[in-house]
Amino acid sequence: MRNQKNSNFTIFYLSSEGKKLAEKLRILLKKAEIYKLKKELIAEIWQKGNILIFIMALGIVIRQITEFVKSKKEDPGVLVINETGKFVIPLLGGHSAEVNKIAQELADFTGAEPVITTASDSKALPALDLWIKRMGLISKNPEILPKIMAIFNERRYLKVYKEINLKIPLFNFAKEVDNYREAEVIITNKSLGNLKTQLILIAPNLWVGLGFHEGITEKEIEIAINKVFKEKNLDILALKGIATLEKKAKYLPLKTFCQNKKLILLGFNKDELQKKEACTPSKKVFQAVEVYSVSEQSALVASKGALLIPKRTLKNITIAVAEEIYRIPGKLYIVGTGPGKIEYLTLKALTILREAEVIVGYKTYLKFLERLLPGKEIYNFSMTEEIKRAKKAIEEALKGKIVALISGGDPGIYGMAGLVLEILGKNNLSLEVEIIPGISALNACSALIGAPLMNDFAVISLSDRLTPWEEIKKRLNLISQADLPIVIYNPRSKKRKIQLSEAKKIILQYRKETIPVAVVCSAMRDSQKIYFTTLGELDENLVDMKSTIIIGSSKSFYFNQWFITPRGYERKYEKEFEISSFLE
Ligand code: SAH
């Protein structure tokens, strides 16, 4: 937890149940001290400034701490968790919204509900750090945040300086000042040196236009950009993306550089680039690539703004920098929500769903998430409307919203990730995208039936909506010969029945009728159903569009209620397998 660096946690419990929960919390709060409730100890710890967590009834806590409570500024953070661990209540610590955040993190960890009662009315500073994050700003010196909070508590407003091209709404108790020296908070893309008393927030609104000869390395790109930024006093954290010619954007070291630095990479063709005029045109460049200045025109087109640094030529690279008008940034998360019920979401997916303002998805999956979605803007499409869903999500994110596009299972496995990235690429859109992986049907189904995919395996979808059936048949033929377990997605629907019969025939050409086959329908949902059978006896009528089929290899076998494909241990370590003490 972020907070741990500054303060430690002390956990008080009363009962053995409370103690168990305290021990569990220590997995998250590694350095936490745990004590049975004792008044003298509270007094001591109150002085130290540790964050206190009480695992007991709220009434007991109030009676214990009342005499120590002084003021918002002096009191340490206090949280209460009921003994069954169902609710986490941030009780004191309102001067920094930190305690609310800790409550949320503890709740995420234990599966509890955080009971947040503070309102962010206009008199209270909204969690400054949350606002910074939402505005997409990067804090250069977060360590001075508490000082800035203290100024606000005293004076009830903050003096803020922001550069002209940054169109971000300031909270309603910030006063804008014209000179950055007078400000307590500076929002900029410039490098202002080491200011010790002012909070510096960087707005990433700079685009580098890049021209280069192939052969340059990632490191050379980085050094060149850093050099230009430094010379011109721009902060490197303000770099939003890199633009270049379409064919140069294919250059792998450049792609690697952008991916690692989390920069958007855009490639434009000559017609797109010619829409903006170069400020330093070169005939030689025009003869080679039919534009007058790759770096300047790319930066201008990508930023839709103005040139800040005209072309600079360094060794094998030319660089220009343009500035975009900065608005509240949107973000598109493509969230894998797993096979069904909420508990199979990852913690990360849960956090994103809580944070998202807009949810785009389709009925079945949204239903599982229902209780996470009140108050959100929801767009619900039918199953086959993937393109509409992807476009809607992109459009809403481009408007400056935080969007979660729901993709069942994992977004990268027959999910929404590929489609979104293709549409973005086709339209050359600069949008921040993050893909949140999820538990795919193959993970869920194999876990339910045992260990069928312990060694290599193949995965195939029988849906011929986007892949020609002839091609699918060819693939089936090849993977069946490879004697690997096969996972079949989209095996059968009301309208699509013959594919599974044909697939079975193809596989039977290479595999015995007796090999194990499992059909898992609606894994991790209320209607979950598992059928164990063999390839010869597979009853296709049991299979629907919510099923995944796992077909064994020649090595797979059933043992009791489990389906196993051995990894190979028994060949090597068979003697060590025996657990003799249990066999007596
Ligand atoms: N992205 C999803 C797959 C979407 S394709 C994932 O990673 O799981 C849809 C197919 O996935 C269905 O036809 C079915 O074969 C499989 N599937 C999805 N959820 C499932 C579940 N809960 N149980 C069994 N199969 C499932």
Side-chain angles (χ1 to χ4, degrees), residues 338-340 365 407-416 438-442 444-445 488-492 520-525 544-549:
Y365 287 105
S407 189
D410 179 81
I413 299 182
Y414 312 114
M416 294 296 294
I439 296 176
S440 188
L442 72 86
C445 299
I488 301 185
Y489 280 68
N490 298 303
R492 192 169 183 263
V520 183
C521 307
S522 302
M524 281 58 180
R525 304 180 190 172
D544 63 15
M545 59 179 290
K546 296 185 193 106
S547 320
T548 295
I549 305 179

Side-chain angles (χ1 to χ4, degrees), residues 205-209 238-243 258 262-266 302:
N205 72 333
L206 299 179
W207 283 90
V208 157
L239 179 57
K240 176 172 181 179
I242 294 188
C258 290
K262 297 204 162 72
L263 298 171
I264 296 171
L265 172 63
L266 295 181

Side-chain angles (χ1 to χ4, degrees), residues 2-42:
R2 190 181 322 171
N3 190 278
Q4 255 186 301
K5 267 193 225 120
N6 310 323
S7 31
N8 199 0
F9 293 85
T10 303
I11 308 178
F12 287 108
Y13 65 90
L14 267 179
S15 66
S16 58
E17 210 181 355
K19 188 174 178 190
K20 259 193 231 151
L21 183 55
E23 304 279 349
K24 186 174 165 189
L25 291 180
R26 196 152 52 188
I27 300 171
L28 185 71
L29 314 168
K30 293 200 177 55
K31 283 191 255 151
E33 303 160 351
I34 300 178
Y35 301 108
K36 189 152 189 180
L37 183 69
K38 216 173 174 195
K39 195 138 194 176
E40 305 87 82
L41 264 178
I42 301 179

